[in-house]
Amino acid sequence: MSTETYDLVIRGERILTTAGIAPREVGVRNGVIVAMEPLGNGLDGATVVELAPDETLIPGLVDSHVHVNEPGRTEWEGFASATKAAAAGGVTTIIDMPLNSIPPTVNVDALQQKRAAAETQAFVDVGFWGGAIPGNKADLRPLHDEGVFGFKCFLLHSGVDEFPHLEADEMEADMAELKTFDSLMIVHAEDSRAIDRAPSAEGDQYSKFLASRPRGAENVAIAEVIERARWTGARAHILHLSSSDALPMIASARRDGVNLTVETCPHYLTLLSEEIPNGATAFKCCPPIREASNRELLWQGLIDGTIDCIVSDHSPSTLDLKDLENGDFGVAWGGVSSLQLGLSLIWSEARKRGLPLEQVVEWMSARPAAIARLQRKGKLALRYDADFSVFAPDETFVVDVHKLHHKNPISPYAGKALSGVVRSTYLRGEVLDLEKPTGRLLRRGAA
């Protein structure tokens, strides 16, 4: 018997360690994992939690692609609502995107406004991406020094006028700048010329919307990102990959040593364009949800390692912006809100494919943490933050949009039956009650 007392001890038959799921006892002190022993060692804690037989303890998820939109468009989403949704979905760290808030995070002053808005309202830990737009090259280094995790740019209109896109040459110049301090350029890769030449999306037919955002637009833009990363030597990351056509060139660039990582999202891995009803603008996102054959190849890209991770791209708006009364894909806001559902969505699909929970958590926790260079997040291991989720993989539920914490009750998953329920979430060893915000603001290099 150990004589040491921990603040918290969690015991269970199913604890997801770095060596797989095993019977363990986890000891937490001052918010950090300080002991991991075989089950039966009898670690003593001020609080002792015994997992039920159907529960698995997993590391808290890291979602590095979340649009919170506060300040400026807080009616779309705010820090309190977004971080509650995260906590309820087993996500203990989010990294906020630099646009859709006003001002966008393109200089230090704007970052400070974001931090001020988040500070008292965060139920989980929150980090920030900076933005790269025309004319703010001189702001990149100061933002980096203030702790942003990297910089986002668009290669076509971002959807909001206050965050203009870069031409490929401007992106390359910014990449060369980021290389001097080893930061990361994360890119919304769709080509503006290809989209300009594509057919119009107006009307209620999903097939027309899909034709307006062809795979070719993604492929051309990803090719640009690859070559500019090759020429500059900078680290680059492809956001929300939806075109499976791009997988071979991504794999080949990696073999050449290009410093490239890639994410995809639950909507591209679970939904199918063939099943989207006309007028169902809840399904609109950019790049779009594509065909069944495309989805299968994205799963293959995850399994073979070409795609690194799965994050939400939680991109909410108010209900009126989704144009629900007309269902016009040409005017509706493009974005899917899935921050709270990501783990259950991916687990439901993965288990059908015979993929283990350990693999899902690797894609949704350890890998996003590694890309953002978060040093104490994403694993259940010694000296890591005691961020956990108690997950019941076999329990099922039906998605009710009114039980989701994000601000505007709309989801393409409404009514969908899913496997896997998050029963509780811990941040630094404290169970989250969604009453008192205890999240911290994270800085690059200090988290």
Side-chain angles (χ1 to χ4, degrees):
M1 281 286 285
S2 161
T3 52
E4 280 195 272
T5 301
Y6 300 92
D7 303 333
L8 169 70
V9 171
I10 300 184
R11 302 189 188 127
E13 291 289 342
R14 297 181 53 81
I15 305 251
L16 203 168
T17 70
T18 51
I21 293 175
R24 288 283 184 274
E25 304 189 356
V26 180
V28 175
R29 194 177 291 125
N30 299 326
V32 176
I33 301 169
V34 291
M36 289 189 74
E37 302 286 344
L39 187 62
N41 273 24
L43 297 186
D44 187 22
T47 303
V48 177
V49 174
E50 307 266 0
L51 296 182
D54 68 335
E55 292 176 341
T56 303
L57 189 71
I58 63 173
L61 303 189
V62 175
D63 192 337
S64 57
H65 194 149
V66 179
H67 294 267
V68 177
N69 311 339
E70 185 173 7
R73 287 195 178 94
T74 309
E75 68 279 9
W76 294 22
E77 188 70 283
F79 282 104
S81 47
T83 56
K84 277 185 185 180
V91 176
T92 50
T93 302
I94 65 168
I95 307 185
D96 170 64
M97 282 291 165
L99 73 157
N100 300 352
S101 55
I102 302 171
T105 318
V106 293
N107 54 46
V108 169
D109 178 55
L111 175 63
Q112 285 164 344
Q113 290 184 53
K114 270 238 165 138
R115 285 199 167 128
E119 198 138 31
T120 57
Q121 303 193 74
F123 287 86
V124 301
D125 286 357
V126 180
F128 299 90
W129 296 110
I133 61 170
N136 84 326
K137 190 168 162 189
D139 292 296
L140 303 180
R141 182 66 199 250
L143 276 164
H144 174 77
D145 292 343
E146 267 301 309
V148 300
F149 285 84
F151 295 87
K152 180 177 193 177
C153 73
F154 278 74
L155 289 174
L156 81 171
H157 193 286
S158 70
V160 292
D161 292 337
E162 66 277 358
F163 197 95
H165 72 281
L166 298 179
E167 297 300 332
D169 288 348
E170 295 172 307
M171 175 178 72
E172 184 188 337
D174 282 354
M175 280 180 166
E177 172 74 5
L178 297 188
K179 172 78 169 99
T180 65
F181 44 91
D182 193 27
S183 189
L184 174 67
M185 181 67 91
I186 66 175
V187 186
H188 182 123
E190 287 181 286
D191 182 77
S192 59
R193 290 153 307 178
I195 300 282
D196 289 343
R197 301 254 182 135
S200 146
E202 67 188 309
D204 68 351
Q205 290 183 22
Y206 187 78
S207 57
K208 281 187 73 177
F209 171 63
L210 188 56
S212 79
R213 311 288 292 211
R215 296 183 203 203
E218 249 186 295
N219 305 337
V220 169
I222 289 168
E224 287 281 16
V225 175
I226 287 170
E227 296 317 310
R228 309 295 171 137
R230 190 193 309 273
W231 302 340
T232 58
R235 293 193 291 133
H237 177 75
I238 304 288
L239 296 166
H240 45 51
L241 178 71
S242 94
S243 169
S244 61
D245 297 353
L247 291 167
M249 65 176 161
I250 289 165
S252 114
R254 289 256 186 82
R255 287 192 294 272
D256 292 347
V258 177
N259 211 330
L260 186 69
T261 50
V262 184
E263 69 184 36
T264 192
C265 308
H267 33 283
Y268 304 126
L269 296 166
T270 61
L271 301 173
L272 302 172
S273 64
E274 292 93 336
E275 294 178 355
I276 296 176
N278 287 342
T281 51
F283 291 82
K284 179 179 173 178
C285 54
C286 301
I289 293 153
R290 303 192 190 277
E291 306 79 2
S293 53
N294 185 82
R295 179 179 81 169
E296 295 319 299
L297 289 166
L298 291 177
W299 274 101
Q300 197 46 55
L302 276 162
I303 291 163
D304 68 26
T306 309
I307 301 172
D308 297 272
C309 65
I310 305 169
V311 292
S312 69
D313 187 11
H314 178 75
S315 183
S317 72
T318 53
L319 295 181
D320 58 307
L321 289 175
K322 277 296 199 181
D323 192 42
L324 299 175
E325 52 290 351
N326 303 316
D328 186 335
F329 285 100
V331 299
W333 176 258
V336 170
S337 301
S338 62
L339 185 51
Q340 187 169 336
L341 296 172
L343 176 58
S344 305
L345 286 164
I346 294 302
W347 170 237
S348 299
E349 196 64 42
R351 73 187 308 183
K352 285 184 209 158
R353 295 159 185 277
L355 297 167
L357 182 60
E358 298 95 294
Q359 177 65 80
V360 168
V361 173
E362 170 83 10
W363 286 327
M364 301 187 79
S365 191
R367 298 264 187 90
I371 289 166
R373 295 188 168 172
L374 285 161
Q375 273 128 44
R376 296 200 304 272
K377 306 287 188 187
K379 289 180 184 166
L380 231 154
L382 294 177
R383 294 184 289 285
Y384 276 69
D385 287 351
D387 299 349
F388 315 127
S389 160
V390 174
F391 187 61
D394 298 323
E395 191 181 336
T396 57
F397 69 104
V398 174
V399 177
D400 174 350
V401 288
H402 299 290
K403 290 186 177 157
L404 299 175
H405 291 281
H406 68 252
K407 194 166 271 193
N408 289 282
I410 183 170
S411 167
Y413 306 109
K416 200 174 164 87
L418 298 177
S419 297
V421 170
V422 173
R423 290 193 180 154
S424 55
T425 302
Y426 291 77
L427 185 68
R428 279 182 294 277
E430 299 283 336
V431 72
L432 295 179
D433 60 5
L434 303 191
E435 296 293 321
K436 185 167 158 285
T438 55
R440 293 182 189 168
L441 304 189
L442 304 179
R443 287 169 185 260
R444 174 198 49 78

